[in-house]
Amino acid sequence: MKKIKLKQFFFIFVMLFTLAPVTVSARQNIDVGNILWGHIKDSYDWHITKIGKTPVIIHLPVIVKSSTGWHVFSSSRFSEVKNTNGNRPGPYGLYIKSADAKSHPGKIMEMVNGNEVRPLDISITKTVCVLFIDAILLLICVLVPARWCRHHKWDDSAPKGFTGLMHMFIMSIYHDVVKSTMTDREAVVYGPWLMTCFFFIFLANLMGVVPFPPGGGNLTGNITCTFFLGITTFIITNVTGSKEYWKSIFWPKVPLWLKCPVPLMPFIELFSIITKPLALMIRLFANMLAGHAIALSFAAMIFIMFNISENAVVDAAAGTGMTVVSIAMSIFMMLLEILVCYIQALVFTMLSAVFIHLAHEKSEPKAETVKA
């Protein structure tokens, strides 16, 4: 059995080694920057692949309110041919601005009285589409085990298959992360939110690693998504914080000269309230964005090495050698990225639980004097 698996792996590696130079040699003047940012950035259409010279694209709905009213149409109505300014013209006087523009790159704009104006844009972009897909998959992953629990008693035999896997996964995160960090009452109240955070982030991270639809979207590598998650933890932590929590911020237990007349320590404590959710947001965003960029960069190295010189023999030797290195490093990065997907979801959930728990800590009761 082990020999068969080894042969299968060797066959796949040889096929990749053989086909990669042929594929790369057929492409000249590859824009590596466009490949990287095309995957990472948001867009109004979903580019899947290219068969020959024909691109395979999923066109998404555009919903905007311009100076002429509301308009709903497909993104396919924007021309693929760019004008002299690098913009893609479309209907109703709208156009998608060049990705190299200094202001509003890649966004829908219009000209009103000679001035460039951005209309109200609530389009279903690639990131929004991936968000909907991840939400639907998350509901399936949660509702299937919930349905099994509804129709079985607690002393029934354990479920198997996908339901059993989700039961194990959910209980592991709840007991090892949520309950081990918070009190029993806090775990009951805030556990649903924390569990939703973990599984949503973990699923979104995994879907970003999958290179084809419904995956391939860099949802958690988008600062808007991580900002919402971070600001939600910020609101829950500070709105539900106890009196002792706010007292420790505005009147901490430090020498008086650090609090009055210059409120040095209260200012530092107040500033820390903002840095905590900011750290959650930036950590998740930066790690997922960097992981995608590094994985794509290893693949792009093949294209670069096949165009390193004007000598076809040198290019073939350099490109073929880099193909082996790039494939090996890409496989390693994909495996590492799967681990990072879990770790980042775990870190976000654990730190959120810690912040919420610290905001509910009560002051220690004063020791009663024992009368003789």
Side-chain angles (χ1 to χ4, degrees):
M1 188 66 183
K2 291 183 179 180
K3 291 183 178 180
I4 295 175
K5 290 183 178 180
L6 183 61
K7 288 181 179 179
Q8 290 175 346
F9 177 82
F10 180 76
F11 175 76
I12 294 172
F13 185 85
V14 170
M15 288 296 293
L16 290 172
F17 175 79
T18 307
L19 294 177
V22 177
T23 304
V24 174
S25 62
R27 299 181 180 182
Q28 300 296 329
N29 300 323
I30 300 298
D31 189 354
V32 178
N34 188 31
I35 294 174
L36 292 175
W37 290 110
H39 174 79
I40 294 172
K41 284 186 176 180
D42 198 6
S43 61
Y44 293 96
D45 43 35
W46 197 335
H47 186 279
I48 300 175
T49 186
K50 195 173 184 180
I51 302 176
K53 295 184 178 181
T54 305
V56 179
I57 301 174
I58 299 176
H59 295 286
L60 302 172
V62 176
I63 308 171
V64 295
K65 183 183 180 182
S66 66
S67 58
T68 57
W70 284 98
H71 304 290
V72 181
F73 56 93
S74 172
S75 62
S76 61
R77 299 186 63 180
F78 285 103
S79 175
E80 294 295 331
V81 181
K82 300 179 181 179
N83 56 23
T84 54
N85 296 325
N87 303 328
R88 294 171 53 192
Y92 311 109
L94 303 171
Y95 59 89
I96 297 179
K97 202 168 182 181
S98 172
D100 300 327
K102 294 183 179 180
S103 62
H104 307 297
K107 301 298 182 182
I108 294 179
M109 307 293 290
E110 66 170 334
M111 296 297 295
V112 180
N113 298 325
N115 297 320
E116 191 176 56
V117 179
R118 186 180 179 188
L120 178 61
D121 189 357
I122 55 172
S123 304
I124 308 298
T125 60
K126 179 181 176 181
T127 300
V128 177
C129 187
V130 172
L131 175 63
F132 289 156
I133 294 172
D134 288 352
I136 293 171
L137 292 176
L138 180 60
L139 286 173
I140 293 173
C141 293
V142 173
L143 293 179
V144 169
R147 184 177 181 274
W148 184 93
C149 292
R150 183 181 299 177
H151 294 87
H152 291 78
K153 298 180 180 179
W154 66 271
D155 55 348
D156 289 345
S157 59
K160 299 179 180 180
F162 175 75
T163 304
L165 174 64
M166 289 306 302
H167 267 273
M168 179 272 298
F169 205 179
I170 292 171
M171 296 308 295
S172 173
I173 299 300
Y174 182 71
H175 287 285
D176 297 339
V177 178
V178 179
K179 289 197 70 174
S180 63
T181 307
M182 316 177 85
T183 63
D184 292 340
R185 181 181 176 279
E186 290 172 349
V188 172
V189 175
Y190 303 103
W193 157 248
L194 295 171
M195 298 287 288
T196 302
C197 278
F198 174 84
F199 285 101
F200 175 78
I201 294 172
F202 181 59
L203 183 61
N205 291 347
L206 286 181
M207 294 300 290
V209 176
V210 178
F212 51 84
N218 190 27
L219 182 58
T220 45
N222 189 302
I223 192 68
T224 307
C225 177
T226 59
F227 171 79
F228 174 79
L229 294 171
I231 202 67
T232 308
T233 299
F234 170 78
I235 293 172
I236 293 174
T237 302
N238 293 283
V239 170
T240 64
S242 62
K243 293 180 181 179
E244 288 76 10
Y245 169 73
W246 288 107
K247 183 180 178 181
S248 66
I249 292 173
F250 291 106
W251 199 255
K253 295 179 180 180
V254 294
L256 184 62
W257 64 273
L258 292 174
K259 298 181 287 187
C260 184
V262 179
L264 179 61
M265 286 305 298
F267 174 78
I268 294 174
E269 292 291 340
L270 194 61
F271 183 73
S272 68
I273 295 177
I274 303 173
T275 57
K276 289 177 182 177
L278 188 65
L280 288 176
M281 175 183 70
I282 298 299
R283 181 187 291 107
L284 178 60
F285 161 72
N287 277 281
M288 299 315 301
L289 181 68
H292 286 280
I294 292 172
L296 288 171
S297 297
F298 281 128
M301 288 169 62
I302 301 175
F303 302 99
I304 296 173
M305 296 305 293
F306 268 98
N307 294 276
I308 196 172
S309 68
E310 297 182 357
N311 191 319
V313 178
V314 174
D315 287 349
T320 304
M322 184 53 64
T323 300
V324 180
V325 177
S326 178
I327 291 174
M329 293 302 296
S330 296
I331 294 173
F332 172 76
M333 279 303 303
M334 285 296 102
L335 295 176
L336 183 62
E337 192 73 3
I338 294 173
L339 180 61
V340 171
C341 291
Y342 175 78
I343 292 175
Q344 289 305 314
L346 187 67
V347 168
F348 187 97
T349 307
M350 185 178 296
L351 290 179
S352 296
V354 170
F355 295 155
I356 294 172
H357 172 67
L358 292 177
H360 296 158
E361 278 191 332
K362 303 292 184 180
S363 59
E364 295 181 2
K366 296 181 179 179
E368 296 182 358
T369 57
V370 180
K371 295 182 179 181

